[in-house]
Amino acid sequence: MTAPDEIALTALVEQAREAALGAYAPYSNFRVGAALLTPEGTLTGANVENASYGLGICAERVAIAHAVAGGHREFVALAVACIDAQPGTGLAGLTPCGACRQWFLEFAPDLPVLIARPAAEPARFTAAELLPNGFRLD
């Protein structure tokens, strides 16, 4: 599949925002959605928290697990959006956690990752840029 155009990437960010509406975030009130574009279509995920904090799962990993469980192994782009982020929230408060970054590297080191920001254009990185020198088994 060829790289998605700007219209497709804009739509992907909107799908991530819509996915965040399904989040279960009663502890942080920080709803996050992710939209993962594959050659076959888009799969989404939302964060799911748990009273035992370590048992929660991020939106990005939900979307990837959804894709992998459905037999998808080729990823084209990923968008992430926190619909509760306040204007002025720095990029560091919006970027995926280290565990999600490691998942990106596992499946697609060159994966374009778009991070929605309040009142600004989405930030763009590759998975490898988000986690340089990430763990790999050769």
Side-chain angles (χ1 to χ4, degrees), residues 14-38:
E14 287 307 312
Q15 288 175 300
R17 286 189 175 109
E18 289 173 20
L21 294 172
Y24 176 74
Y27 307 106
S28 71
N29 295 309
F30 200 76
R31 296 173 294 168
V32 180
L36 178 64
L37 180 62
T38 73

Side-chain angles (χ1 to χ4, degrees), residues 31-107:
R31 296 173 294 168
V32 180
L36 178 64
L37 180 62
T38 73
E40 295 81 25
T42 302
L43 298 121
T44 60
N47 59 318
V48 180
E49 296 180 349
N50 187 281
S52 177
Y53 291 145
L55 297 180
I57 187 166
C58 300
E60 301 91 327
R61 285 182 282 148
V62 170
I64 291 170
H66 186 187
V68 171
H72 305 281
R73 297 293 189 277
E74 185 179 343
F75 303 154
V76 178
L78 175 80
V80 181
C82 174
I83 59 175
D84 299 314
Q86 299 299 311
T89 299
L91 189 57
L94 301 171
T95 58
C97 73
C100 289
R101 294 172 191 211
Q102 184 64 44
W103 274 47
F104 301 164
L105 285 182
E106 181 74 20
F107 293 99

